[in-house]
Amino acid sequence: MIAENIKRLNEIICLKCEQVGRKREEVLLIAVSKNNPISSIIDANNIGLLDFGENRAYELRDKSIELSERSLNWHYIGGLQKNKVKYIINAAKYIHSVESIGLAEEINKKAAGINKIQKVLIECNISNEVSKMGLLDSEEIWKLAEYIKGCSNLELKGLMTMAPYTDETNVIKKTFKGLKSVFDEMNRDNYHLTELSMGMTNDFEFGIEEGSTMLRIGTAIFGERVYL
C-alpha cells in the first residue's frame, strides 16, 4: 500500500509542478511518520524516501536511534518545549517549528553543546487561528529572524505554516500566498531563505502552486493515522 501511495503521490506532484512551471526537484517530500510504526518508515525508505517528519520529541529520538543504520533526514515539525530540545537535537536535520526567542536560544545552546549548526524554520500563524501555534505578525517574525541570525549555532533556512482545514480554496491559497509574501520580503532584506514548508495531504497542490519547497505529507503515504 505504501509503495502504491508514494507512486501515486509523486505522479500528482510531478503533474502539478509541470502545470505551474516548476521543477520536481524543487519540492521535497517529507513523509510525516508521526504515530506510525518503524516498519512503515522502513517500507517508505526502501522505495526511496529519505525525509521523515515527527511531532513528538520522544518519538523522534527513539525512532532515530532504532533506525540509526539508515541514512534518514529527520524533520521535527511539531510544537516544541524548551525542555524537550535535548531529545531531538542529535537527530533533527531541520526543526520547522521555532516560534520564540526563548526556544531559539535553547536550540542554539544545545546545538553548541554538540558542535552542530542546526537548520531551523520559523513557524508562522498566517491564518491567525487561535488553535494554531506560530507567530502572528511580521514584526514578531522579523524580530525572531534577527535573533536567529545572531546565533552562532543556528541557520535560518525558511518559514513554515499550516493552512486552515477547509474546503474553501481561496482561504488556503490566501494563507500560502501570505507566507510566500513574507518569505519574499525577508529575502529582499538579505535573509537568503530557501525553504517554504507548507502543504499537507489535503492541500499540498496549493502549496506547490504558491512556491512550497517542503511538503509535509502523512495520510496520503501511510493511510489513516495509527495512534501508538
Side-chain angles (χ1 to χ4, degrees), residues 59-124:
E59 195 171 347
L60 186 150
R61 178 199 61 187
D62 295 346
K63 286 178 175 177
S64 66
I65 292 171
E66 191 165 348
L67 294 166
S68 59
E69 293 184 359
R70 292 176 179 254
S71 298
L72 305 182
N73 301 317
W74 292 101
H75 298 250
Y76 190 81
I77 60 175
L80 183 60
Q81 298 173 321
K82 290 189 288 185
N83 65 345
K84 301 289 180 61
V85 172
K86 59 189 175 185
Y87 298 121
I88 70 168
I89 196 66
N90 286 290
K93 181 174 182 179
Y94 288 89
I95 298 174
H96 291 229
S97 49
V98 180
E99 60 162 3
S100 72
I101 286 176
L103 179 57
E105 180 182 28
E106 182 65 16
I107 295 171
N108 184 60
K109 176 182 174 182
K110 289 294 189 289
I114 60 171
N115 196 30
K116 177 184 183 181
I117 304 299
Q118 178 65 60
K119 297 177 181 180
V120 299
L121 286 79
I122 293 175
E123 183 172 3
C124 307

Side-chain angles (χ1 to χ4, degrees), residues 96-99 121-129 132-138 140-142 144 156 158-163 175-176 178-180 182-183 186 193 196-198 216:
H96 291 229
S97 49
V98 180
E99 60 162 3
L121 286 79
I122 293 175
E123 183 172 3
C124 307
N125 187 354
I126 297 295
S127 58
N128 292 319
E129 291 182 89
K132 284 191 170 66
M133 302 179 71
L135 299 179
L136 294 167
D137 61 62
S138 58
E140 290 180 312
I141 296 169
W142 247 264
L144 178 54
L156 180 60
L159 308 174
M160 183 267 265
T161 199
M162 292 176 62
T175 300
F176 292 160
L179 191 70
K180 181 62 161 60
V182 176
F183 177 88
M186 292 183 76
L193 306 182
L196 271 172
S197 176
M198 57 188 194
R216 311 182 307 272

Side-chain angles (χ1 to χ4, degrees), residues 150-204:
C151 291
S152 59
N153 288 80
L154 298 183
E155 181 181 3
L156 180 60
K157 299 297 292 182
L159 308 174
M160 183 267 265
T161 199
M162 292 176 62
Y165 192 80
T166 176
D167 292 328
E168 295 183 48
T169 300
N170 61 319
V171 174
I172 297 171
K173 286 189 173 184
K174 182 179 179 181
T175 300
F176 292 160
K177 284 179 185 290
L179 191 70
K180 181 62 161 60
S181 177
V182 176
F183 177 88
D184 289 341
E185 191 173 349
M186 292 183 76
N187 279 338
R188 285 193 291 271
D189 202 21
N190 296 313
Y191 276 93
H192 307 292
L193 306 182
T194 59
E195 308 300 339
L196 271 172
S197 176
M198 57 188 194
M200 303 191 301
T201 291
N202 62 306
D203 55 22
F204 70 88

